[in-house]
C-alpha cells in the first residue's frame, strides 16, 4: 500500500490535470541557447579578432568583442497567459557558458509564442540599486548619458577608405539627446522581438539566433567610415541601430526536445 501511495505522489509531481477535460498535462522545462552568425555562417569564439567579414557596403571587418543583453524572455500560450523567464541574460561570445540561459521555471507542454526584449525596458534599466553582476561587467552607461545599462557592445576593426585598419565600437544604449546637457531628452531604443510559435512536448532547448550582419544593413546601410566610434552620445546613430536591430537581427532556431 505504501508503494502505491509513493507512486501516486510522484505522479502529482510531474503532471497536472486540465480543469476542462481532466487530460494529463506534462510539466517540462525549457532553456535558451543563443547563437551568432554572419548571414548564416556561424560565428564562434575562435572567430574573434581572426575572421574577416564583409558588410553590405563591402567594408571588411573583424569582431573583437560581442556582448549583448536580453530580458523578458516570454512564452505566451493560446489563452494569452505569459510565462516570463527569470531575470535577464548577458551574452558574451567569448564565454561559452553565457550562451545558455537556464531557468528553474516549469511550463506545461503545449504551443507557445516566444518573445524577448533586446536590452532593458525603462523600468528594468533604471532599477534602484542596479545589478551587481552587470556593474562588475562594466555594463553601465555613464550618468552624463542618462545612466542605466548597455544593450550591446560590439567592437572590432575595419579597413577604412584609405586601406588602413581602424577601430569601431558599435555600442547600443537608450538614445539620448544632449543638445541641452541640463535637460537630456531620451528616445526608447530597446525593442521586443517576436520570435514566433513553438510547440513544446518535452524538456526543450530553444535556439535564438543573432545575424550580426543585419546590424549593418537593414533598413540602414551602415558606413563604418562615417559611424565607427563615439556612438553612445550620438542620438541619431542610436535610433539607426535600433531600427536595424528590429529588422531581422534575431530569429528562432531549432527547438530540440
Amino acid at each position: 500500500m505504501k508503494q502505491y501511495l509513493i507512486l501516486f505522489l510522484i505522479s502529482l509531481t510531474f503532471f497536472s490535470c486540465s480543469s476542462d477535460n481532466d487530460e494529463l498535462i506534462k510539466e517540462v522545462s525549457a532553456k535558451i541557447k543563443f547563437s551568432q552568425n554572419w548571414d548564416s555562417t556561424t560565428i564562434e569564439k575562435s572567430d574573434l579578432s581572426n575572421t574577416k567579414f564583409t558588410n553590405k557596403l563591402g567594408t571588411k571587418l573583424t569582431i573583437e568583442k560581442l556582448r549583448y543583453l536580453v530580458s523578458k524572455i516570454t512564452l505566451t500560450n493560446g489563452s494569452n497567459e505569459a510565462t516570463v523567464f527569470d531575470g535577464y541574460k548577458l551574452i558574451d561570445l567569448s564565454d561559452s557558458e553565457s550562451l545558455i540561459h537556464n531557468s528553474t521555471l516549469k511550463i506545461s507542454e503545449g504551443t507557445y509564442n516566444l518573445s524577448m526584449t533586446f536590452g532593458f525596458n525603462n523600468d528594468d534599466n533604471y532599477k534602484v540599486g542596479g545589478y551587481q553582476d552587470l556593474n562588475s561587467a562594466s555594463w553601465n552607461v555613464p550618468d552624463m548619458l542618462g545612466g542605466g545599462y548597455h544593450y550591446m557592445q560590439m567592437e572590432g576593426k575595419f579597413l577604412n577608405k584609405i586601406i588602413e585598419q581602424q577601430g569601431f565600437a558599435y555600442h547600443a544604449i537608450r538614445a539620448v539627446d544632449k543638445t541641452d546637457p541640463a535637460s537630456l531628452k531620451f528616445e526608447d531604443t530597446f525593442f521586443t522581438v517576436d520570435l514566433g510559435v513553438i510547440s513544446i512536448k518535452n524538456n526543450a532547448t530553444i535556439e535564438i539566433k543573432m545575424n550580426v550582419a543585419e546590424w549593418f544593413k537593414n533598413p540602414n546601410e551602415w558606413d563604418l567610415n562615417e559611424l565607427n566610434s563615439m556612438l553612445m552620445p550620438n542620438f541619431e546613430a542610436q535610433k539607426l541601430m535600433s531600427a536595424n536591430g528590429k529588422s531581422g537581427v534575431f530569429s528562432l532556431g531549432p527547438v530540440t526536445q
Side-chain angles (χ1 to χ4, degrees):
M1 183 63 184
K2 183 180 293 183
Q3 291 176 323
Y4 290 122
L5 178 60
I6 292 173
L7 287 173
F8 175 71
L9 292 174
I10 291 175
S11 298
L12 287 180
T13 301
F14 289 98
F15 296 91
S16 61
C17 291
S18 162
S19 60
D20 295 333
N21 52 22
D22 289 336
E23 291 180 356
L24 290 176
I25 299 174
K26 186 167 57 178
E27 288 196 331
V28 298
S29 63
K31 59 183 178 182
I32 307 294
K33 173 186 176 183
F34 295 91
S35 69
Q36 296 73 40
N37 68 86
W38 188 278
D39 286 339
S40 300
T41 298
T42 300
I43 303 175
E44 305 280 4
K45 177 181 178 180
S46 58
D47 291 307
L48 293 174
S49 302
N50 293 316
T51 301
K52 291 182 179 177
F53 303 100
T54 303
N55 70 13
K56 182 70 179 298
L57 293 178
T59 303
K60 296 185 184 305
L61 61 98
T62 55
I63 299 169
E64 297 174 348
K65 176 192 288 186
L66 177 59
R67 304 196 298 175
Y68 57 99
L69 185 141
V70 301
S71 60
K72 304 290 187 194
I73 301 171
T74 303
L75 291 167
T76 305
N77 66 17
S79 300
N80 208 31
E81 296 169 337
T83 301
V84 182
F85 278 54
D86 320 314
Y88 50 85
K89 186 67 178 176
L90 176 61
I91 298 107
D92 182 346
L93 182 55
S94 70
D95 178 5
S96 59
E97 291 187 2
S98 76
L99 304 181
I100 298 291
H101 185 44
N102 292 301
S103 174
T104 58
L105 283 177
K106 291 289 184 181
I107 56 174
S108 300
E109 61 176 328
T111 301
Y112 296 89
N113 187 81
L114 175 65
S115 63
M116 69 176 189
T117 297
F118 173 72
F120 276 139
N121 65 24
N122 294 334
D123 288 340
D124 292 338
N125 200 29
Y126 303 111
K127 177 184 174 183
V128 175
Y131 308 90
Q132 186 57 48
D133 59 328
L134 298 182
N135 297 341
S136 300
S138 300
W139 199 243
N140 308 68
V141 171
D143 289 341
M144 63 182 294
L145 296 177
Y149 292 91
H150 285 77
Y151 303 160
M152 183 173 71
Q153 294 175 336
M154 176 165 46
E155 299 176 7
K157 290 186 171 62
F158 70 100
L159 203 58
N160 65 19
K161 286 181 178 178
I162 57 175
I163 321 300
E164 290 182 347
Q165 291 282 343
Q166 183 175 342
F168 72 87
Y170 193 114
H171 288 198
I173 63 172
R174 189 185 186 198
V176 55
D177 182 349
K178 293 182 58 188
T179 304
D180 179 1
S183 180
L184 300 179
K185 295 180 180 177
F186 296 95
E187 183 163 320
D188 292 340
T189 45
F190 70 86
F191 52 85
T192 300
V193 182
D194 186 339
L195 292 156
V197 176
I198 58 175
S199 178
I200 298 178
K201 299 178 180 177
N202 296 295
N203 294 335
T205 299
I206 305 164
E207 182 176 346
I208 296 177
K209 304 188 295 184
M210 172 197 271
N211 183 353
V212 181
E214 289 286 348
W215 288 108
F216 296 97
K217 66 178 179 183
N218 182 36
N220 304 296
E221 295 183 356
W222 198 273
D223 187 351
L224 282 171
N225 288 283
E226 301 295 331
L227 294 169
N228 50 67
S229 60
M230 296 298 290
L231 300 183
M232 290 171 62
N234 188 326
F235 185 62
E236 296 303 323
Q238 290 300 323
K239 292 192 291 182
L240 295 175
M241 289 181 195
S242 181
N244 282 10
K246 295 174 183 175
S247 303
V249 165
F250 295 99
S251 62
L252 181 64
V255 178
T256 55
Q257 53 190 320

